Amino acid sequence: MATTSNAAGGNYRRVPLSSSDSISSFSSQQQQQPLVQTQQLPNDTTTATPHSDDNSDDRHRWRNSSERFLDKLWAAAWVTMAVLVGYWARVPTVLFTTSALDVGHRRLLHVSAAVWGINAVLAAYLTVYLPKVRNIPPEAWNTYCPRVIPTMTGLGVVAVVLMIRATWPAWGFLSPAVLSLEGLGLLFALQFVPAW
């Protein structure tokens, strides 16, 4: 294998892409094979440099458990704040009873809920159907279904605007803040759902 060096002092060698590439002619190998940075070892053997961390396993395990604990603590704080704001703003009463909002605003709330439902179906399509049924990895979403993510983004913006407009008579200019805190509380509540 030919080894080259660059101005920064790193050595590079050509690596075959597959077993059929090693059979092909030398000139086609030079054109098809990518360069991989290598490191010169003390016994003059050249190997590819792995991306390794010098930390010990115990330190890494401790750091992960402490970070997980802090993540759960922050999630519990956001959920607690969402529950307190929901109690103060009477969120279940405003969203689920007919006496809190007039008919026009209630219809806007229903349209917003329908748009959130469409977003939930699209999210299930991306996260359950494609990887589990069709065996398509998330990296291929941009090529397999390129319009789903932008559609979900647009629908999410429409749903939020409709929900703010629907709850404006109940909370006024605090509607965006109340709905944002409730949304963050729901998002961080997912920290306590076990992985499956």
Side-chain angles (χ1 to χ4, degrees), residues 17 29 48 54 103 105 133 136 156 177 189 194:
L17 295 175
Q29 275 185 344
D54 291 337
V103 176
H105 291 97
V133 177
I136 296 174

Side-chain angles (χ1 to χ4, degrees), residues 3-73:
T3 303
T4 59
S5 62
N6 64 357
N11 293 327
Y12 294 90
R13 67 181 171 90
R14 300 230 177 246
V15 177
L17 295 175
S18 67
S19 61
S20 65
D21 288 339
S22 61
I23 298 171
S24 63
S25 69
F26 181 75
S27 63
S28 64
Q29 275 185 344
Q30 292 295 325
Q31 294 171 358
Q32 292 177 356
Q33 295 172 349
L35 293 175
V36 176
Q37 187 170 8
T38 59
Q39 167 184 343
Q40 190 72 24
L41 296 177
N43 60 358
D44 292 345
T45 60
T46 306
T47 59
T49 58
H51 298 289
S52 63
D53 191 6
D54 291 337
N55 295 336
S56 67
D57 288 337
D58 293 335
R59 182 177 175 196
H60 185 66
R61 210 175 305 125
W62 174 83
R63 196 180 95 217
N64 283 341
S65 64
S66 67
E67 284 180 355
R68 281 183 294 191
F69 174 74
L70 286 175
D71 288 345
K72 300 286 184 191
L73 189 66

